[in-house]
Amino acid sequence: ALSLLTRLPIHVPTDAYERAHKAVWAYGVAGLVWAICVWIVANLCMAAGLAPPIAAGFGLIVGMLITGVMHEDGLADSADGFWGGWERERRLEIMRDSRLGVYGSLALIVSTGLRWQLIATLLEDENSFLAMLLAGMFARSILPLMMTHLPQARSDGLSHSVGIPTGGGVYFSFVISSLISLVFLGVAGLMLAVIAAFATLLCGLLARKKICGQTGDVLGASVVIIEIIVLATCVLVNGNA
């Protein structure tokens, strides 16, 4: 899971990717690694005397490097394809095009700006690590759900190569993320899990409408969207606490 969802120098046997669908239970671990790295870098920057917005920027940069900006790439491709084409085949064609369009550019600018400001706001709160942890874990834990309950829109690509996960491992990461949220935030934590699940449902419905299923780009875009929604919800919870 870490080898697939991060750029950490982790070496696995070549045939391990033939069983990649069995590792989906650990996708939340990749989110945990992302959260720890972003939080540590941002707090080190603040300890050095940098203001929270600047520290958040450096933390977010490290987070992008950890994932190899694969999720941001998926967001840009999905935005260009979903709204740049009128038919399913044309949308899939645009999503595979390496060139960046207007929709993709705007999606990257808006999503990066939102996460930057949300992280900066959370850094001033004592629960900043918990918020980062939940954002990272929830955002990755929804991937197996989408891979299982949405048909594959392509007969090739990253999502197709992983395969369709089955069994209890599909729900493991999301359940663990929900339990952590519930234990530390109580009713607000339960609502956070419901909001993350509902946002995932909306992402899935949009993907089904636009391209009749999911691809690696759709999954990557969903990670960024859920990160934003969870971070924003944590900001609201902290503000109303």
Side-chain angles (χ1 to χ4, degrees), residues 12-190:
V12 298
T14 303
D15 61 351
Y17 289 102
E18 298 176 5
R19 306 184 301 276
H21 63 283
K22 296 183 178 180
V24 296
W25 66 268
Y27 277 11
V29 177
L32 175 62
V33 171
W34 175 86
I36 291 174
C37 292
V38 173
W39 187 83
I40 288 178
V41 170
N43 276 272
L44 286 176
C45 289
M46 290 179 63
L50 295 177
I54 300 176
F58 280 111
L60 186 57
I61 289 172
V62 170
M64 291 179 175
L65 292 176
I66 290 293
T67 61
V69 297
M70 64 184 303
H71 306 312
E72 289 77 10
D73 178 69
L75 176 66
D77 287 342
S78 296
D80 279 334
F82 282 13
W83 286 280
W86 292 100
E87 298 177 351
R88 174 182 181 273
E89 290 73 19
R90 177 55 180 160
R91 288 168 180 156
L92 289 171
E93 180 183 350
I94 294 173
M95 291 169 69
R96 178 157 283 175
D97 193 329
S98 61
R99 291 172 295 182
L100 183 62
V102 174
Y103 291 111
S105 300
L106 287 175
L108 289 177
I109 293 171
V110 172
S111 64
T112 302
L114 283 173
R115 284 187 294 170
W116 184 2
Q117 292 304 307
L118 288 168
I119 293 172
T121 301
L122 287 167
L123 285 177
E124 301 182 44
D125 188 272
E126 61 181 8
N127 293 322
S128 60
F129 178 70
L130 176 61
M132 295 298 302
L133 173 69
L134 292 174
M137 292 189 68
F138 269 123
R140 277 75 179 173
S141 69
I142 58 96
L143 295 179
L145 304 179
M146 298 187 72
M147 294 166 66
T148 299
H149 297 290
L150 279 177
Q152 295 177 343
R154 296 186 191 277
S155 59
D156 59 0
L158 181 59
S159 177
H160 185 271
S161 67
V162 173
I164 302 175
T166 58
V170 171
Y171 307 96
F172 182 82
S173 283
F174 190 83
V175 170
I176 293 299
S177 301
S178 301
L179 287 175
I180 294 174
S181 183
L182 176 62
V183 168
F184 287 97
L185 296 176
V187 176
L190 180 60

Side-chain angles (χ1 to χ4, degrees), residues 1-4 6 8-20 23:
L2 283 172
S3 176
L4 181 66
T6 74
L8 296 176
I10 298 174
H11 300 287
V12 298
T14 303
D15 61 351
Y17 289 102
E18 298 176 5
R19 306 184 301 276

